[in-house]
Amino acid sequence: MTLPIVAALGIVLGWYLVFNYEGALRAGTSAAFCRTQLEMARSLARNAEQLIESRHGVDAPPVIESEIRQRILDPVSLLGGGAWMFAPGRSDCQGDPGLPWCGGLSDASSAGDGNDLASGMERLLAEASTGREGAGRFVFKGGNRQEIIAWAPVRAGGMFVVVGVTASFTDLLAVTGVVRQSRSAMVMMGLMTLGGLGLVILSAGNIVRRRRAEIELARANADLEVRVASRTEELAAKTKALMESRLRERLSEKEAEIAFQAGLVQSAGAYLHTTGNALTSLEGLFLKMRRTLEAAARTGEAFAAARQAAETALGRPDGPVVDDIAALETALLGRAVPRLEAILAEMGEVKARMIAELEGRRTLFDARKNRGRLHQAVDLGRLLADAVEQARPECAARGLSLVAKDSPGLVVQAARRTVSHGVSRCLAMVRDAARPGRPGEIACQAARGPDGRMLLVMRARGPAFVEADPSREDPELLAFINYLNENHGVFGIVRDSEGFCVEVELGDMPIQEWAGAQPAP
């Protein structure tokens, strides 16, 4: 029902706007031509005044009036009217042929468009007799014709006359296009009215059809409920038979499920291996970011020195350069570095959750596999010292210095043989990355990280390692990295301006898996 109501309101509003539009056009045209004809009347009055002054004392007033009509008023021709002259007390409004409008307006009222505040001929005569100029739109007695009349008084040489101009308002509306615009608006609104009525009729038909469809739908629903009840009884019987057959199928499905779980475990192993490698690369990026943040945190002294140098150069503690240095220090150390540290902490939490998720999945797919018997307590400091002693001759032959700091009491549960061989391969990778003929130093140390996990750090410094690119293509090194991934460890390489640093983080096995293990000799 909304559409018919909206259409009806639109039609009423449209016609209201059309009528208001036509009235506005008529009022605007009337006001414009009233001002125009008033200017014309003033111009005619000035010409008549000049003529009277030039003939005063030479000709009689009737002769002067006749000459004013012939020389000034008769040449003026307007739409449906012209120029006229009225002499109070000497002109007959009813019989003067020079006042063709006079009789028609004697009992008429004004048009009421805001330009005429009095009414009819009485207003015109009263204002003209008192010497006031004016203009207005007047209606004839019959109401079929309207005139725009403007007048201006003339006082010269002892004579007093009123000159004015008149024009047909109906003809003006036709010439200015107001009639055509009004007719076009009404025709357009008529077409819109027909369209709106058609839309209302169409909408009413749709409402009737919709109501009929609702009734038919209600009947169909009732029939459907009856059919559903009968089909429900049939379905119950078939369901019982299906359940009996389903019980027989479950045995065969169980066999297929066992085969599927075997394949799932195999694919899960490959998934964990690939994801572990990705986490190792991610940890390498974390190490680089931590090194970068540590270096950025030490730039406060550099900013202080730069600020001091700028103050010394300028000879005063303030200036654009000093302000720019302070702004840069605030942007870097006050906002950028803390924000990067917060992002790094959040990424670390995400990595920890990913590792926990991977461990849960590995426990799910490999719950019966116990690697505790393959691990033992390993003294990392001793293991690292042995690896350094084995690699020192080869490094010395290449002009490299290899040292290891004492790290007693650092014991981790791991596969000793795998870790020992992996550390040796890491040293070989660092050694092979050195540029020939240039000196360098490799400093090795075992330590406990901030989170309590064991770290093996190999720092390569000197000209031999500047811009060096260590290769991880060694299959034995890759096998060691895979071992770290499978046992919560991390392998990473961090580069800086002095060389690079290899960091190996070993994850301790859960206590329930290696309880009772003794340190290896």
Side-chain angles (χ1 to χ4, degrees), residues 408-428:
L410 298 177
V411 179
V412 66
Q413 293 297 321
R416 177 181 175 80
R417 185 179 300 275
T418 303
V419 175
S420 177
H421 190 67
V423 172
S424 299
R425 299 316 305 166
C426 290
L427 286 173

Side-chain angles (χ1 to χ4, degrees), residues 83-251:
W84 49 269
M85 183 176 64
F86 174 73
R90 295 193 304 275
S91 298
D92 185 4
C93 181
Q94 298 294 332
D96 193 341
L99 303 175
W101 46 268
C102 184
L105 291 177
S106 57
D107 297 326
S109 61
S110 64
D113 58 357
N115 296 318
D116 306 300
L117 302 179
S119 63
M121 189 61 191
E122 291 79 2
R123 171 194 165 193
L124 192 154
L125 294 177
E127 293 186 359
S129 300
T130 56
R132 291 197 300 266
E133 64 181 17
R137 175 158 57 98
F138 298 88
V139 182
F140 274 74
K141 289 182 177 180
N144 296 327
R145 183 182 177 186
Q146 299 182 27
E147 297 283 347
I148 293 181
I149 302 174
W151 62 93
V154 179
R155 295 180 181 272
M159 294 180 61
F160 172 64
V161 295
V162 178
V163 296
V165 291
T166 179
S168 173
F169 183 65
T170 306
D171 295 339
L172 288 176
L173 293 178
V175 171
T176 55
V178 173
V179 175
R180 178 177 52 82
Q181 294 182 24
S182 300
R183 187 181 296 109
S184 299
M186 290 186 178
V187 171
M188 184 179 299
M189 193 59 210
L191 295 176
M192 293 177 63
T193 302
L194 293 177
L197 292 177
L199 185 62
V200 170
I201 295 173
L202 181 61
S203 177
N206 291 336
I207 293 173
V208 173
R209 287 191 294 271
R210 188 182 302 112
R211 182 56 183 167
R212 291 176 180 175
E214 290 175 356
I215 296 173
E216 294 178 358
L217 182 61
R219 294 176 182 174
N221 288 337
D223 296 339
L224 181 60
E225 291 177 358
V226 175
R227 291 196 299 271
V228 168
S230 61
R231 293 298 299 274
T232 301
E233 296 178 358
E234 297 177 2
L235 184 60
K238 293 181 179 181
T239 301
K240 183 178 180 181
L242 181 61
M243 291 178 62
E244 294 176 355
S245 63
R246 186 61 179 170
L247 291 176
R248 292 190 296 268
E249 293 176 358
R250 285 182 179 177
L251 294 176

Side-chain angles (χ1 to χ4, degrees), residues 14 36 138 156 165 198 259 290 301 350 374 390 500:
T36 301
F138 298 88
V165 291
R290 283 196 288 269
E301 299 177 0
V350 173
L374 303 177
Q390 294 177 5
F500 61 87

Side-chain angles (χ1 to χ4, degrees), residues 46-64:
R46 287 192 294 269
N47 293 335
E49 183 177 356
Q50 294 174 1
L51 181 60
I52 293 174
E53 291 177 352
S54 64
R55 296 299 180 89
H56 177 66
V58 177
D59 296 325
V63 176
I64 295 176

